[in-house]
PDB file of all heavy atoms in Angstrom:
ATOM      1  N   LEU F  51       3.049  49.631  48.743  1.00 66.00           N
ATOM      2  CA  LEU F  51       1.985  49.634  49.697  1.00 66.00           C
ATOM      3  C   LEU F  51       0.940  50.652  49.241  1.00 66.00           C
ATOM      4  O   LEU F  51       0.955  51.811  49.597  1.00 66.00           O
ATOM      5  CB  LEU F  51       2.491  50.012  51.082  1.00 66.00           C
ATOM      6  CG  LEU F  51       3.475  49.045  51.732  1.00 66.00           C
ATOM      7  CD1 LEU F  51       4.077  49.595  52.999  1.00 66.00           C
ATOM      8  CD2 LEU F  51       2.718  47.681  52.011  1.00 66.00           C
ATOM      9  N   PRO F  52       0.014  50.194  48.393  1.00 69.00           N
ATOM     10  CA  PRO F  52      -0.978  51.186  47.819  1.00 69.00           C
ATOM     11  C   PRO F  52      -2.116  51.456  48.817  1.00 69.00           C
ATOM     12  O   PRO F  52      -2.391  50.654  49.715  1.00 69.00           O
ATOM     13  CB  PRO F  52      -1.500  50.407  46.626  1.00 69.00           C
ATOM     14  CG  PRO F  52      -1.385  48.934  47.037  1.00 69.00           C
ATOM     15  CD  PRO F  52      -0.127  48.858  47.886  1.00 69.00           C
ATOM     16  N   ASP F  53      -2.746  52.590  48.633  1.00 78.00           N
ATOM     17  CA  ASP F  53      -3.961  52.866  49.378  1.00 78.00           C
ATOM     18  C   ASP F  53      -5.109  52.041  48.794  1.00 78.00           C
ATOM     19  O   ASP F  53      -4.929  51.343  47.794  1.00 78.00           O
ATOM     20  CB  ASP F  53      -4.289  54.355  49.394  1.00 78.00           C
ATOM     21  CG  ASP F  53      -4.515  54.877  47.994  1.00 78.00           C
ATOM     22  OD1 ASP F  53      -4.335  54.151  46.982  1.00 78.00           O
ATOM     23  OD2 ASP F  53      -4.920  56.041  47.820  1.00 78.00           O
ATOM     24  N   HIS F  54      -6.236  52.072  49.460  1.00 76.00           N
ATOM     25  CA  HIS F  54      -7.396  51.239  49.076  1.00 76.00           C
ATOM     26  C   HIS F  54      -7.875  51.510  47.623  1.00 76.00           C
ATOM     27  O   HIS F  54      -8.132  50.570  46.860  1.00 76.00           O
ATOM     28  CB  HIS F  54      -8.531  51.401  50.078  1.00 76.00           C
ATOM     29  CG  HIS F  54      -9.734  50.545  49.773  1.00 76.00           C
ATOM     30  ND1 HIS F  54      -9.683  49.161  49.923  1.00 76.00           N
ATOM     31  CD2 HIS F  54     -10.980  50.830  49.281  1.00 76.00           C
ATOM     32  CE1 HIS F  54     -10.857  48.657  49.548  1.00 76.00           C
ATOM     33  NE2 HIS F  54     -11.668  49.662  49.172  1.00 76.00           N
ATOM     34  N   THR F  55      -7.948  52.774  47.266  1.00 77.00           N
ATOM     35  CA  THR F  55      -8.444  53.133  45.923  1.00 77.00           C
ATOM     36  C   THR F  55      -7.470  52.615  44.854  1.00 77.00           C
ATOM     37  O   THR F  55      -7.910  51.995  43.851  1.00 77.00           O
ATOM     38  CB  THR F  55      -8.596  54.657  45.803  1.00 77.00           C
ATOM     39  OG1 THR F  55      -9.438  55.108  46.827  1.00 77.00           O
ATOM     40  CG2 THR F  55      -9.177  55.045  44.435  1.00 77.00           C
ATOM     41  N   THR F  56      -6.177  52.815  45.085  1.00 77.00           N
ATOM     42  CA  THR F  56      -5.198  52.359  44.075  1.00 77.00           C
ATOM     43  C   THR F  56      -5.213  50.876  43.981  1.00 77.00           C
ATOM     44  O   THR F  56      -5.113  50.300  42.914  1.00 77.00           O
ATOM     45  CB  THR F  56      -3.761  52.832  44.509  1.00 77.00           C
ATOM     46  OG1 THR F  56      -3.828  54.266  44.663  1.00 77.00           O
ATOM     47  CG2 THR F  56      -2.722  52.503  43.480  1.00 77.00           C
ATOM     48  N   PHE F  57      -5.328  50.218  45.136  1.00 77.00           N
ATOM     49  CA  PHE F  57      -5.350  48.743  45.152  1.00 77.00           C
ATOM     50  C   PHE F  57      -6.550  48.194  44.354  1.00 77.00           C
ATOM     51  O   PHE F  57      -6.412  47.342  43.505  1.00 77.00           O
ATOM     52  CB  PHE F  57      -5.404  48.252  46.601  1.00 77.00           C
ATOM     53  CG  PHE F  57      -5.478  46.746  46.710  1.00 77.00           C
ATOM     54  CD1 PHE F  57      -4.342  45.990  46.454  1.00 77.00           C
ATOM     55  CD2 PHE F  57      -6.649  46.094  47.047  1.00 77.00           C
ATOM     56  CE1 PHE F  57      -4.381  44.588  46.549  1.00 77.00           C
ATOM     57  CE2 PHE F  57      -6.709  44.736  47.147  1.00 77.00           C
ATOM     58  CZ  PHE F  57      -5.562  43.965  46.905  1.00 77.00           C
ATOM     59  N   THR F  58      -7.704  48.792  44.580  1.00 79.00           N
ATOM     60  CA  THR F  58      -8.938  48.381  43.887  1.00 79.00           C
ATOM     61  C   THR F  58      -8.802  48.621  42.366  1.00 79.00           C
ATOM     62  O   THR F  58      -9.142  47.781  41.551  1.00 79.00           O
ATOM     63  CB  THR F  58     -10.163  49.139  44.438  1.00 79.00           C
ATOM     64  OG1 THR F  58     -10.235  48.935  45.800  1.00 79.00           O
ATOM     65  CG2 THR F  58     -11.419  48.669  43.724  1.00 79.00           C
ATOM     66  N   LEU F  59      -8.249  49.764  42.019  1.00 80.00           N
ATOM     67  CA  LEU F  59      -8.039  50.101  40.599  1.00 80.00           C
ATOM     68  C   LEU F  59      -7.071  49.118  39.959  1.00 80.00           C
ATOM     69  O   LEU F  59      -7.367  48.550  38.876  1.00 80.00           O
ATOM     70  CB  LEU F  59      -7.486  51.516  40.446  1.00 80.00           C
ATOM     71  CG  LEU F  59      -7.216  51.971  39.042  1.00 80.00           C
ATOM     72  CD1 LEU F  59      -8.514  52.064  38.266  1.00 80.00           C
ATOM     73  CD2 LEU F  59      -6.450  53.300  39.040  1.00 80.00           C
ATOM     74  N   PHE F  60      -5.977  48.802  40.619  1.00 78.00           N
ATOM     75  CA  PHE F  60      -4.994  47.867  40.049  1.00 78.00           C
ATOM     76  C   PHE F  60      -5.603  46.438  39.942  1.00 78.00           C
ATOM     77  O   PHE F  60      -5.346  45.780  38.946  1.00 78.00           O
ATOM     78  CB  PHE F  60      -3.737  47.832  40.852  1.00 78.00           C
ATOM     79  CG  PHE F  60      -2.749  48.926  40.488  1.00 78.00           C
ATOM     80  CD1 PHE F  60      -2.506  49.976  41.344  1.00 78.00           C
ATOM     81  CD2 PHE F  60      -2.083  48.850  39.252  1.00 78.00           C
ATOM     82  CE1 PHE F  60      -1.613  50.963  40.973  1.00 78.00           C
ATOM     83  CE2 PHE F  60      -1.176  49.835  38.913  1.00 78.00           C
ATOM     84  CZ  PHE F  60      -0.962  50.885  39.767  1.00 78.00           C
ATOM     85  N   ILE F  61      -6.373  46.057  40.932  1.00 79.00           N
ATOM     86  CA  ILE F  61      -6.995  44.729  40.838  1.00 79.00           C
ATOM     87  C   ILE F  61      -7.982  44.675  39.669  1.00 79.00           C
ATOM     88  O   ILE F  61      -7.989  43.726  38.925  1.00 79.00           O
ATOM     89  CB  ILE F  61      -7.681  44.369  42.143  1.00 79.00           C
ATOM     90  CG1 ILE F  61      -6.674  44.184  43.277  1.00 79.00           C
ATOM     91  CG2 ILE F  61      -8.558  43.122  42.030  1.00 79.00           C
ATOM     92  CD1 ILE F  61      -5.708  43.012  43.066  1.00 79.00           C
ATOM     93  N   ALA F  62      -8.742  45.768  39.512  1.00 79.00           N
ATOM     94  CA  ALA F  62      -9.730  45.806  38.404  1.00 79.00           C
ATOM     95  C   ALA F  62      -9.029  45.745  37.043  1.00 79.00           C
ATOM     96  O   ALA F  62      -9.422  45.016  36.149  1.00 79.00           O
ATOM     97  CB  ALA F  62     -10.591  47.057  38.530  1.00 79.00           C
ATOM     98  N   VAL F  63      -7.962  46.538  36.909  1.00 79.00           N
ATOM     99  CA  VAL F  63      -7.205  46.593  35.614  1.00 79.00           C
ATOM    100  C   VAL F  63      -6.444  45.317  35.372  1.00 79.00           C
ATOM    101  O   VAL F  63      -6.604  44.739  34.335  1.00 79.00           O
ATOM    102  CB  VAL F  63      -6.293  47.876  35.571  1.00 79.00           C
ATOM    103  CG1 VAL F  63      -5.412  47.774  34.378  1.00 79.00           C
ATOM    104  CG2 VAL F  63      -7.095  49.104  35.549  1.00 79.00           C
ATOM    105  N   PHE F  64      -5.635  44.932  36.362  1.00 80.00           N
ATOM    106  CA  PHE F  64      -4.783  43.756  36.148  1.00 80.00           C
ATOM    107  C   PHE F  64      -5.541  42.450  36.187  1.00 80.00           C
ATOM    108  O   PHE F  64      -5.162  41.524  35.464  1.00 80.00           O
ATOM    109  CB  PHE F  64      -3.664  43.715  37.186  1.00 80.00           C
ATOM    110  CG  PHE F  64      -2.608  44.775  36.972  1.00 80.00           C
ATOM    111  CD1 PHE F  64      -1.921  45.276  38.071  1.00 80.00           C
ATOM    112  CD2 PHE F  64      -2.306  45.267  35.736  1.00 80.00           C
ATOM    113  CE1 PHE F  64      -0.963  46.277  37.922  1.00 80.00           C
ATOM    114  CE2 PHE F  64      -1.316  46.222  35.556  1.00 80.00           C
ATOM    115  CZ  PHE F  64      -0.651  46.702  36.610  1.00 80.00           C
ATOM    116  N   GLY F  65      -6.601  42.368  36.994  1.00 81.00           N
ATOM    117  CA  GLY F  65      -7.301  41.134  37.126  1.00 81.00           C
ATOM    118  C   GLY F  65      -8.424  40.943  36.125  1.00 81.00           C
ATOM    119  O   GLY F  65      -8.837  39.801  35.861  1.00 81.00           O
ATOM    120  N   THR F  66      -8.896  42.036  35.530  1.00 85.00           N
ATOM    121  CA  THR F  66     -10.065  41.913  34.641  1.00 85.00           C
ATOM    122  C   THR F  66      -9.764  42.359  33.223  1.00 85.00           C
ATOM    123  O   THR F  66      -9.925  41.702  32.237  1.00 85.00           O
ATOM    124  CB  THR F  66     -11.254  42.667  35.181  1.00 85.00           C
ATOM    125  OG1 THR F  66     -11.488  42.231  36.511  1.00 85.00           O
ATOM    126  CG2 THR F  66     -12.459  42.484  34.345  1.00 85.00           C
ATOM    127  N   VAL F  67      -9.312  43.666  33.107  1.00 86.00           N
ATOM    128  CA  VAL F  67      -9.135  44.277  31.820  1.00 86.00           C
ATOM    129  C   VAL F  67      -8.053  43.612  30.981  1.00 86.00           C
ATOM    130  O   VAL F  67      -8.233  43.333  29.771  1.00 86.00           O
ATOM    131  CB  VAL F  67      -8.911  45.795  31.998  1.00 86.00           C
ATOM    132  CG1 VAL F  67      -8.606  46.444  30.653  1.00 86.00           C
ATOM    133  CG2 VAL F  67     -10.111  46.455  32.652  1.00 86.00           C
ATOM    134  N   LEU F  68      -6.876  43.357  31.583  1.00 86.00           N
ATOM    135  CA  LEU F  68      -5.788  42.775  30.839  1.00 86.00           C
ATOM    136  C   LEU F  68      -6.061  41.371  30.312  1.00 86.00           C
ATOM    137  O   LEU F  68      -5.776  41.103  29.187  1.00 86.00           O
ATOM    138  CB  LEU F  68      -4.504  42.848  31.655  1.00 86.00           C
ATOM    139  CG  LEU F  68      -3.897  44.221  31.811  1.00 86.00           C
ATOM    140  CD1 LEU F  68      -2.654  44.171  32.695  1.00 86.00           C
ATOM    141  CD2 LEU F  68      -3.607  44.866  30.493  1.00 86.00           C
ATOM    142  N   PRO F  69      -6.691  40.495  31.129  1.00 87.00           N
ATOM    143  CA  PRO F  69      -7.005  39.147  30.528  1.00 87.00           C
ATOM    144  C   PRO F  69      -8.051  39.251  29.398  1.00 87.00           C
ATOM    145  O   PRO F  69      -7.986  38.553  28.454  1.00 87.00           O
ATOM    146  CB  PRO F  69      -7.576  38.375  31.712  1.00 87.00           C
ATOM    147  CG  PRO F  69      -6.849  38.957  32.902  1.00 87.00           C
ATOM    148  CD  PRO F  69      -6.770  40.438  32.570  1.00 87.00           C
ATOM    149  N   ILE F  70      -8.998  40.195  29.545  1.00 90.00           N
ATOM    150  CA  ILE F  70      -9.955  40.399  28.468  1.00 90.00           C
ATOM    151  C   ILE F  70      -9.302  40.956  27.257  1.00 90.00           C
ATOM    152  O   ILE F  70      -9.613  40.564  26.108  1.00 90.00           O
ATOM    153  CB  ILE F  70     -11.161  41.245  28.967  1.00 90.00           C
ATOM    154  CG1 ILE F  70     -11.967  40.526  30.011  1.00 90.00           C
ATOM    155  CG2 ILE F  70     -12.034  41.750  27.805  1.00 90.00           C
ATOM    156  CD1 ILE F  70     -13.040  41.396  30.720  1.00 90.00           C
ATOM    157  N   LEU F  71      -8.375  41.889  27.446  1.00 90.00           N
ATOM    158  CA  LEU F  71      -7.606  42.436  26.339  1.00 90.00           C
ATOM    159  C   LEU F  71      -6.785  41.318  25.622  1.00 90.00           C
ATOM    160  O   LEU F  71      -6.770  41.323  24.400  1.00 90.00           O
ATOM    161  CB  LEU F  71      -6.647  43.559  26.837  1.00 90.00           C
ATOM    162  CG  LEU F  71      -5.782  44.200  25.770  1.00 90.00           C
ATOM    163  CD1 LEU F  71      -6.658  45.005  24.819  1.00 90.00           C
ATOM    164  CD2 LEU F  71      -4.784  45.108  26.443  1.00 90.00           C
ATOM    165  N   SER F  72      -6.245  40.446  26.424  1.00 90.00           N
ATOM    166  CA  SER F  72      -5.522  39.310  25.773  1.00 90.00           C
ATOM    167  C   SER F  72      -6.415  38.520  24.929  1.00 90.00           C
ATOM    168  O   SER F  72      -6.073  38.131  23.829  1.00 90.00           O
ATOM    169  CB  SER F  72      -4.907  38.433  26.904  1.00 90.00           C
ATOM    170  OG  SER F  72      -4.372  37.290  26.393  1.00 90.00           O
ATOM    171  N   SER F  73      -7.569  38.218  25.435  1.00 91.00           N
ATOM    172  CA  SER F  73      -8.575  37.406  24.694  1.00 91.00           C
ATOM    173  C   SER F  73      -9.039  38.178  23.417  1.00 91.00           C
ATOM    174  O   SER F  73      -9.313  37.556  22.398  1.00 91.00           O
ATOM    175  CB  SER F  73      -9.779  37.030  25.537  1.00 91.00           C
ATOM    176  OG  SER F  73      -9.395  36.264  26.643  1.00 91.00           O
TER     177      SER F  73
END
Side-chain angles (χ1 to χ4, degrees):
L51 295 173
D53 61 354
H54 181 69
T55 305
T56 305
F57 179 74
T58 305
L59 179 67
F60 276 109
I61 293 297
V63 170
F64 289 149
T66 306
V67 175
L68 289 178
I70 291 172
L71 179 67
S72 172
S73 298

